[in-house]
Amino acid sequence: WQRWLFVGIGAAATLTVPAVAETPEQLDQLVVATPAAGLELARAQAQAGDLLPALSTIERLLFANPKNKEARLMHAVLLCRLDDLSGAAVHIAQLKRKDYPPADWQQMMTVCGAKGAD
């Protein structure tokens, strides 16, 4: 496994979540206990170019929180960045534009080269 970066937030210090998610089990614990920390971890991984670990983090987060809209959008973006445009299209079709800030939606459209799903 790639080494996992921990993106700290104040609430994480009081939880029984490990300070570093080094194993799949620790990552699962992190994204279930603090979805916001899971999103930040996935963002950090993606910004570092670690797209597969970022996708894994987002998929774990979605498994625990399937209705997390921010994670659903990021999932589509990561699939596009990994050139899985057909997989991304399936996920984009399930998103509703009105659920997202215009800038976030536009970023996804730019990355995916999509024509927009409503």
Side-chain angles (χ1 to χ4, degrees):
W1 274 95
Q2 299 280 338
R3 93 190 144 137
W4 299 103
L5 300 173
F6 178 74
V7 177
I9 61 174
T14 62
L15 298 172
T16 59
V17 176
V20 177
E22 295 178 352
T23 67
E25 293 79 16
Q26 290 172 334
L27 178 59
D28 288 342
Q29 198 175 26
L30 172 70
V31 299
V32 170
T34 55
L39 281 165
E40 288 304 315
L41 174 60
R43 278 191 204 100
Q45 291 168 323
Q47 288 175 350
D50 296 329
L51 299 180
L52 289 176
L55 184 64
S56 176
T57 299
I58 285 297
E59 287 179 346
R60 281 180 155 79
L61 196 152
L62 285 171
F63 184 77
N65 304 280
K67 294 184 180 184
N68 186 306
K69 291 176 181 164
E70 193 173 354
R72 293 177 70 204
L73 186 71
M74 187 172 186
H75 188 250
V77 169
L78 287 168
L79 288 173
C80 289
R81 289 185 64 191
L82 288 163
D83 289 327
D84 182 359
L85 299 180
S86 61
V90 170
H91 293 281
I92 292 169
Q94 297 171 358
L95 303 177
K96 292 185 172 116
R97 176 182 237 153
K98 67 179 179 152
D99 291 339
Y100 302 95
D104 292 349
W105 188 264
Q106 185 56 46
Q107 177 198 16
M108 185 264 302
M109 289 293 145
T110 300
V111 170
C112 294
K115 294 203 177 197
D118 294 315

